[in-house]
Amino acid sequence: MEPDQFKKLLTRYADGLANEEEKQLIAAWYDSYDRENEVDAFSDAAEEELVRKEMQQAILNHRKPPVIRKFSFRQYYKYAAVLAIAIAAVFLGKPFLKKSVKPNSEQDFKVIETYAGEYKKVTLEDLTVIQMNPGTRLRIPSQFAKLKDRTVYMDQGLAFFEVAKDPHHPFVVHSGTIKTLVLGTKFALSTQKAALTEVSVSEGKVRVSNGTKVLDDLIPGRKLRYNSKNEQWKVSDFATREHNAWFQKVISLNHASFNELAKIIQINYGVKIRSGNKNTATYVYNLQIRSTRSLTETLKIICSVHQNKYRRTGNEIVIY
C-alpha cells in the first residue's frame, strides 16, 4: 500500500470512519510489531512498550474529541417553573390548573328553588333579603360578595327583594332578557314561562332594561310588564300595600282571569284546575290566596265567588 493511501487509512481509523476490512488492516499492521524480525529494532522490551503506547496515544489524539453538551440551568428555568406549579397544584388542591369556566355555567352558581306550596326566605352575604314564592328558581354566583355588581339570576317564579343599600355596588337581577338595576330598594319581580316579566316597586327606584335599551325608571307605586315575544311593555300604577303579602304569605288577586287563578293555585298547592263550563272562562276574581289555608278551604272560597261547584280527580280539579 502506498504511503499516502496508508496515511489516509490511518486518518479514517482515527476519525472512527474505518470499515471492518480497514480495521483489520490496521490491526495487522499493529500486530506486525510483535514479529521476530521486527523486534530487533528495539533495544529492549521496555522501549518496545513505550513506542507502542506512543503510537496508541497518537491515534487517539487525532480522533475528534466527543461532543460534551454543557448543561445550562437558564434554558431549563421555564420547564422547572412549570414543574413547580404542577407539583404545587397537586398538593394544594390544584388551584393553578383549574379550568376556567363560563360565568353562566351551573357549577359557578348556588341554585335555590321552591316547590309547590313552599315559601322560602333567603338572606344574601350583603344582607339583602329575598322572599321566594312557590315555584321560584334563583341562581346566586358563588363569588357574589366579590363582584363589582351584586348580581343574581331569577329563572322563573315570583319573589320580593329587600336590597341592602350600597351605593358603590349596584344590585342587578337578570330574568331572561330583562335586567333590573337598583342601589337599595324594595321591589317584586315575577317571570313566567309565557314570556311575561313584571317588576313592581314599593320603595326606592329601579331601572328596567331589556339588554338593548332602558324601558323605564320605576318609582314606588309603579310597575312594568314586559312581553319578550313581541318586545312590548306597559307601565301602570299599583297599590304598594300589595307587597305586604310577601310577609304574610298572601297573594291578592285583583280582576284576575280564570287562567291567572289557575296558575296561582298550581304554584301554591301543586294541583291543576280547569273550567267545566263555558261561562267560567269569562269570570274575574278578586280574592286573597293565603298559604295558611288548606286547598279545600281555598276551593270553597273560589267557588263562592260565582256560585260554582268543584270535583277532584287525582291531581286535577274541575270547577263547573
Side-chain angles (χ1 to χ4, degrees):
M1 182 179 294
E2 295 294 329
D4 289 341
Q5 292 178 326
F6 190 77
K7 183 178 179 181
K8 290 181 180 179
L9 176 60
L10 285 174
T11 301
R12 285 175 55 79
Y13 182 84
D15 291 340
L17 300 176
N19 58 33
E20 193 62 30
E21 183 179 355
E22 290 170 335
K23 290 178 182 179
Q24 291 179 1
L25 287 173
I26 295 297
W29 172 77
Y30 186 83
D31 290 339
S32 67
Y33 285 99
D34 291 332
R35 296 172 188 170
E36 288 291 331
N37 59 348
E38 301 276 4
V39 174
D40 293 339
F42 301 99
S43 60
D44 54 36
E47 183 180 357
E48 179 184 358
E49 184 63 21
L50 178 62
V51 171
R52 187 191 304 273
K53 289 182 178 180
E54 288 177 350
M55 290 180 65
Q56 282 183 324
Q57 190 62 46
I59 292 174
L60 291 174
N61 290 341
H62 186 74
R63 288 188 177 182
K64 294 181 180 179
V67 178
I68 301 176
R69 297 184 181 274
K70 294 183 179 181
F71 184 86
S72 173
F73 281 96
R74 179 174 298 179
Q75 71 183 88
Y76 290 97
Y77 279 164
K78 60 181 180 180
Y79 302 109
V82 172
L83 181 60
I85 291 175
I87 295 173
V90 171
F91 289 98
L92 299 177
K94 302 184 180 179
F96 300 104
L97 302 181
K98 185 178 180 181
K99 294 177 67 177
S100 60
V101 293
K102 297 180 179 179
N104 289 340
S105 62
E106 198 67 30
Q107 59 184 318
D108 275 345
F109 295 90
K110 176 183 179 182
V111 179
I112 305 173
E113 295 181 275
T114 55
Y115 302 96
E118 180 184 13
Y119 291 82
K120 188 173 291 186
K121 179 179 178 180
V122 178
T123 302
L124 303 182
E125 294 175 79
D126 66 339
L127 301 183
T128 289
V129 177
I130 306 175
Q131 305 276 356
M132 299 172 62
N133 267 31
T136 301
R137 185 177 192 267
L138 288 175
R139 286 182 293 130
I140 313 298
S142 57
Q143 299 295 316
F144 174 80
K146 299 179 181 179
L147 297 177
K148 181 178 180 181
D149 292 345
R150 298 172 289 167
T151 304
V152 301
Y153 296 80
M154 181 167 158
D155 299 326
Q156 65 181 43
L158 183 62
F160 182 75
F161 294 78
E162 294 180 87
V163 179
K165 295 183 184 297
D166 187 347
H168 302 294
H169 297 87
F171 192 94
V172 180
V173 183
H174 292 275
S175 49
T177 58
I178 289 294
K179 174 183 176 181
T180 304
L181 171 66
V182 304
L183 293 177
T185 188
K186 295 181 181 179
F187 70 99
L189 176 61
S190 170
T191 180
Q192 304 172 17
K193 294 182 179 179
L196 293 176
T197 301
E198 183 177 284
V199 181
S200 54
V201 180
S202 59
E203 183 180 302
K205 184 178 181 179
V206 305
R207 170 164 292 181
V208 183
S209 60
N210 66 350
T212 59
K213 59 184 175 182
V214 175
L215 304 182
D216 205 284
D217 289 331
L218 299 177
I219 59 176
R222 300 284 283 175
K223 67 179 180 180
L224 181 147
R225 174 170 283 199
Y226 177 79
N227 189 323
S228 61
K229 288 184 177 180
N230 55 25
E231 298 186 347
Q232 298 296 311
W233 69 94
K234 179 181 179 181
V235 179
S236 59
D237 296 328
F238 80 103
T240 57
R241 64 176 179 274
E242 293 179 13
H243 281 176
N244 293 332
W246 269 274
F247 305 99
Q248 303 169 7
K249 297 183 180 179
V250 176
I251 299 176
S252 297
L253 299 180
N254 296 306
H255 299 286
S257 67
F258 181 83
N259 288 336
E260 290 175 324
L261 171 67
K263 289 178 182 178
I264 296 299
I265 294 299
Q266 184 171 9
I267 289 173
N268 279 271
Y269 296 100
V271 298
K272 295 181 179 180
I273 64 172
R274 65 179 179 84
S275 171
N277 63 58
K278 60 182 181 181
N279 296 323
T280 308
T282 65
Y283 293 158
V284 294
Y285 294 86
N286 295 289
L287 53 85
Q288 291 183 332
I289 306 297
R290 296 177 179 271
S291 61
T292 54
R293 295 193 185 116
S294 67
L295 175 59
T296 300
E297 291 173 327
T298 299
L299 288 173
K300 287 180 178 179
I301 293 173
I302 291 172
C303 289
S304 67
V305 175
H306 298 289
Q307 304 303 309
N308 294 122
K309 296 181 180 180
Y310 75 90
R311 66 174 179 269
R312 180 173 181 173
T313 304
N315 209 38
E316 183 179 73
I317 295 170
V318 178
I319 294 179
Y320 60 94

